[in-house]
Each structure stands twice: as C-alpha cells, then as structure tokens.
C-alpha cells in the first residue's frame, strides 16, 4: 500500500468535517430551510430527512420519485436534495450543471426484506412465476434472503417507486411479495417472509451551484 493511500482517510475526514460545519452554519442562519427527498412517510429517505429536520430545524418536502426531487431542487422549489448513494440515478445530480454536492454522511437504513400480505396462504403454492414488487435498487435483496421453497421459482418484477410503494402494491394484491423495509411492513399490514439488517450507506446533499461556496477538496 502506497504512502498516498495510507494518508487518504485524513483528508477525507477533514473535508467531511469542513463541509458539515459550513452547511449546518447556513441551516442555523436560515431556520426552515427546505429539504427535498423521496416519500412517502416510511421510506429510508424520509426517515433520514426527518432526523436532519429535527436536529437542524429544517422543513421536509416529499416527492413521489427522485426525478421529481431533481426537478424540485433545480427549480428552487426546495433548497437541498437528499439522495442515497445507492440510488441508481445519483450521477444525474452529480453532473447537473446547476447543482453541487454540498455534504455527505453515513446513516443506516431500517431492516429490509421480503414481505407478503398477512393472509395464511402458503407462499410455495403453485409452480408458476412469483410476482415481486420492488424498487430496482433493492431487487438484489430478494435473491439474498429468499426462502428455499421459493428459490427456484421464476420472478416477475413489478416496478415500485419506493419501499412504501412496493408494500402498498403487495397489500393491494398487485404482487405476491414485496421487497420493502420495516416501516412498509407495519404501515400496510404485511408479514415478513425473510429479513436482513439495514445497510449503512452514504447520503448526499445537493444544492444550487450559486449557493454559498463549499470548501474545496482537502487534496486540491
């Protein structure tokens, strides 16, 4: 391992601290700053946004998709966009000419897994495809935790805009199963089929490029 590689965590820690100090100072000077992220209530994004709002006196506006979050921050309907690093379209925020990455931080999600409606109907009945509602970003969780009785069944995916939307689809009969989180299971009366712990991921905050300057990278 080179000396440059060993020294890397120090500059990263400095930048993390500098960005947060600058950003939280701006929030303190402007109570009610609006943070936009993916809804509805119970999504991992909403839970993290709610935590930030309580800690820093922010307001939160929820959108049905991250496309709408992007449009909202570009149009200045919200001041900042909160986006998880696991979101497949994150590069659109990074490369948008009007936006800049303001800060980033790690935060764990709730418990995730496969859930089904609360009916006692056996999951392994039949031999045909199993319909599963899920966001694209969390589909891999299905293969990771699926019970042996369903492992060889073909999966037909039903696209969902959020973990809560996936749970709603399953509860309404639009899919046999859903890949969702613990709040989704509780909100829609589902039952767990298989679970895994939440994952610690990086969360990014984007604001307009003409806002107050963020610190240059520590290595710049």
């Amino acid at each position: 391992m080179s000396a440059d590689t060993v020294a890397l965590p120090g500059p990263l820690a400095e930048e993390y601290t500098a960005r947060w100090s600058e950003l939280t100072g701006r929030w303190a000077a402007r109570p009610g700053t609006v943070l936009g992220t993916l809804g509805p209530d119970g999504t991992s994004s909403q839970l993290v946004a709610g935590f930030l709002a309580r800690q820093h006196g922010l307001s939160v506006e929820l959108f049905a998709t991250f496309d709408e979050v992007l449009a909202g921050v570009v149009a200045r309907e919200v001041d900042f966009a909160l986006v998880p690093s696991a979101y497949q379209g994150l590069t659109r925020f990074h490369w948008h000419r009007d936006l800049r990455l303001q800060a980033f931080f790690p935060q764990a999600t709730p418990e995730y897994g496969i859930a089904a409606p609360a009916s006692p109907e056996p999951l392994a009945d039949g031999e045909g495809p199993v319909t599963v509602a899920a966001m694209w970003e969390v589909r891999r969780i299905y293969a990771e935790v699926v019970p042996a009785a369903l492992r060889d069944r073909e999966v037909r995916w039903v696209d969902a805009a959020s973990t809560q939307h996936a749970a709603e689809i399953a509860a309404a009969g639009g899919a046999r199963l859903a890949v969702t989180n613990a709040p989704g299971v509780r909100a829609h009366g589902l039952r767990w089929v298989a679970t895994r712990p939440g994952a610690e991921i990086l969360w990014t905050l984007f604001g307009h490029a003409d806002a107050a300057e963020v610190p240059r990278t520590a290595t710049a």
Side-chain angles (χ1 to χ4, degrees):
M1 185 177 292
S2 69
D4 288 343
T5 303
V6 172
L8 187 59
L12 285 177
E14 292 170 13
E15 178 165 354
Y16 169 84
T17 301
R19 285 182 182 238
W20 266 111
S21 296
E22 193 274 342
L23 184 58
T24 55
R26 287 160 60 191
W27 287 347
R30 189 185 173 192
T33 293
V34 183
L35 192 64
T37 197
L38 183 69
D41 287 348
T43 63
S44 297
S45 298
Q46 180 271 320
L47 295 173
V48 173
F51 171 78
L52 291 178
R54 292 189 297 273
Q55 294 292 313
H56 300 285
L58 309 177
S59 297
V60 176
E61 184 168 341
L62 301 177
F63 294 86
T65 67
F66 278 116
D67 287 340
E68 294 181 15
V69 175
L70 177 61
V73 70
V74 169
R76 301 180 190 269
E77 295 171 1
V78 297
D79 300 301
F80 295 93
L82 174 70
V83 190
S85 60
Y87 171 54
Q88 64 169 330
L90 181 60
T91 54
R92 287 180 290 165
F93 288 82
H94 279 294
W95 289 106
H96 198 287
R97 63 183 181 181
D98 294 332
L99 302 181
R100 294 291 183 275
L101 176 67
Q102 303 289 325
F104 50 90
F105 61 96
Q107 181 71 33
T109 70
E111 182 179 32
Y112 270 71
I114 303 169
S119 66
E121 180 182 339
L123 293 176
D125 275 2
E127 298 179 353
V130 179
T131 53
V132 183
M135 296 178 69
W136 184 92
E137 290 84 353
V138 298
R139 285 185 181 184
R140 66 177 59 245
I141 292 175
Y142 182 86
E144 177 186 335
V145 302
V146 65
L150 295 172
R151 197 164 294 150
D152 296 328
R153 298 274 294 275
E154 178 189 350
V155 175
R156 287 186 180 170
W157 296 104
V158 178
D159 290 333
S162 67
T163 51
Q164 304 310 295
H165 186 213
E168 180 183 356
I169 291 171
R176 185 69 186 88
L177 302 170
V179 179
T180 187
N181 63 9
V185 169
R186 292 192 296 268
H188 295 280
L190 304 182
R191 60 185 174 91
W192 283 124
V193 173
T195 63
R196 57 144 292 158
E200 187 175 49
I201 61 176
L202 283 178
W203 295 83
T204 59
L205 283 156
F206 289 86
H208 257 264
D210 60 7
E213 289 292 326
V214 298
R216 289 173 60 81
T217 58
T219 55

